[in-house]
Amino acid sequence: MSASSSPEINGSSAVPRLDVDPFAMNFFADPYPTHELLREAGPVVYLDKWNVYGVARYAEVHAVLNDPATFCSSRGVGLSDFKKETPWRPPSLILEADPPAHTRTRSVLSKVLSPTVMKQVRDRFAAAAEERVDALLEKRSFDAITDLAEAYPLSIFPDALGLKPEGREHLIPYASLVFNAFGPPNQLRQDAIARSAPHQAYVTEQCQRDNLAPGGFGACIHARVDDGEITAAEAPLLVRSLLSAGLDTTVNGIGAAVYCLARFPDQWQRLRDDLTLARNAFEEAVRFESPVQTFFRTTTREVELSGARIGEGEKVLMFLAAANRDPRRWDKPDSYDITRRSSGHVGFGSGIHMCVGQLVARLEGEVMLTALAKRIAGIEITGEPKRRFNNTLRGLDSLPVTITPA
Amino acid sequence: MSAITFIHPDGRSDHIETSDGESAMQAATRHGIDGILAECGGNAMCATCHVYVDEAWLARLPAVADDEDALLDGTATERLPNSRLSCQIQLTPALDGLVLRLPERQV
Ligand code: HEM
Ligand code: FES
């Protein structure tokens, strides 16, 4: 492990400086010891490698997420400071925005992805999950990432958005690019941006009104232009937010849940005994694996956070995944327990930017886990799981399994 | 400093201190009150922070907004005339002593 704590003290305050790179391959391979080091070093730490502050305890992560006036998003939620560097793409109108601009765009996406809309798509999402399980039962042995965690969201989400059938192969590479780009200028980010042109061209094109089928989430966003809530120039960028954040996240979320349930057969059995636990089994997997590991904020003024002085214009890296396993907040944080009261975790963020697609994610997770638990007696891991490396997302590249029918 | 009371379906009650500016949901989750799930963290998306407001207090709360109204139609237990989402109840000194009853279920 590359992490080592130095006794040095930052000139102005007692912020421990750590020599840790949370965007390095060896960190991604096993982030947990470093998460612990970061949490235990202090409430606020400084990472010399990228010249950023870091928070890894639940209380501080929660505090930063819930003070958007001090810890802003409009200077980018990645390492790059939009005040100093030109963003690699036009900034997101929701994720990378502050109130009052954020309030307006957020209200549009909240309505497009509201509980009422979820009721309308629920049967369709559930039927597709059943069909997926039929196909898996035919195969018996398969890759739980490609054939399940990816195949299921791909079978519903692009249609729900109203995307054309052609070109959908760009979706996952585009999302992976977006999430790599939040990271520092390391190999992952540079390579992703170097290869980005065709994916960006596809996405820009698909976000136009004419390319989105009537009735889909995309068309619903454009319809808000007619009400005057957003301008015609803003609508495509808001569609882009769903293309960026709505697919790869759920792939990793469902992948996380299946990986947990396959590793912890007692939890799988509890789910089989009580299917109403499916929603919480998914939620707990989001806490336990935290498919979105980190986001940054930028300080708008000098601020004191848990005794640490942070100047204006500093980047603060929030370790969502470490907060989700902080023993100060969670009982037995390292166990996956589908009956845990997991709400309050920061896997979907917290406060005004808390995931606006959370209902879509939970719906997909719930109906998929229900369909699996109804028809499958056991899931056995039959080969070495392979990790997929990304600066922000945590998940697997491959998970070979064999299932036994119920 | 103010305080509010949550009454559980079995009659147990929790009396908790609150800070001005937080919502009744935030106060409840901060004190670990079971019975308030608050899946969406107060973003008015989930209706798992449903409460029945004690009749004596009902008129003192601000009116139900449209998004809250729509969500209240989807609560896990029956919507009653005194149903509210606790994340939409901002606590003020005027609400010191507020009494909220918890439903049987939130999902
Ligand atoms: C398990 C799946 C998912 C996870 C773990 C996840 C995680 C997150 C997190 C941590 C944030 C907060 C960002 C911040 O505070 O800066 C966020 C915001 C967001 N998510 Fe998700 N997400 C998921 C699924 C989805 C889906 C399905 C959609 C779209 C349908 C979506 C769209 C968004 C958007 C547009 C934002 C920005 C919201 C804002 O800034 O107000 N996400 N998500
Ligand atoms: S916490 Fe979700 S609606 Fe109140």
Side-chain angles (χ1 to χ4, degrees), chain B residues 52-91:
Chain B
Y52 299 115
V53 179
D54 187 86
E55 301 293 343
W57 289 90
L58 200 52
R60 287 191 246 179
L61 297 182
V64 177
D66 287 350
D67 55 349
E68 182 179 351
D69 189 43
L71 268 181
L72 282 168
D73 285 337
T75 51
T77 56
E78 193 191 356
R79 175 179 186 171
L80 298 176
N82 61 337
S83 283
R84 292 297 300 257
L85 297 179
S86 58
C87 70
Q88 302 303 304
I89 303 177
Q90 292 300 321
L91 297 173

Side-chain angles (χ1 to χ4, degrees), chain A residues 161-277:
Chain A
L161 261 169
L163 295 178
K164 290 188 173 161
E166 306 81 42
R168 291 181 178 186
E169 68 280 2
H170 288 288
L171 289 169
I172 288 189
Y174 180 73
S176 136
L177 155 69
V178 169
F179 285 99
N180 268 323
F182 293 125
N186 57 10
Q187 192 85 42
L188 279 172
R189 185 177 198 267
Q190 310 301 59
D191 286 354
I193 292 179
R195 288 192 305 256
S196 67
H199 311 312
Q200 278 194 272
Y202 162 80
V203 164
T204 308
E205 187 58 27
Q206 300 317 304
C207 291
Q208 302 305 313
R209 192 164 196 165
D210 291 346
N211 287 324
L212 294 159
F217 301 152
C220 292
I221 294 174
H222 280 279
R224 298 285 160 182
V225 175
D226 309 334
D227 311 341
E229 283 186 63
I230 47 172
T231 66
E234 289 171 326
L237 276 177
L238 287 175
V239 176
R240 193 194 69 181
S241 287
L242 303 194
L243 282 175
S244 310
L247 189 65
D248 214 6
T249 48
T250 58
V251 167
N252 285 296
I254 293 169
V258 174
Y259 188 33
C260 285
L261 291 164
R263 264 178 302 169
F264 310 116
D266 56 324
Q267 299 302 309
W268 172 251
Q269 199 46 53
R270 282 169 105 173
L271 173 59
R272 293 213 58 223
D273 293 344
D274 180 0
L275 293 176
T276 65
L277 290 171

Side-chain angles (χ1 to χ4, degrees), chain A residues 23 77-80 178-186 189 296 391-392:
Chain A
F23 299 98
V77 296
L79 176 67
S80 168
V178 169
F179 285 99
N180 268 323
F182 293 125
N186 57 10
R189 185 177 198 267
F296 290 84
N391 278 331
T392 307

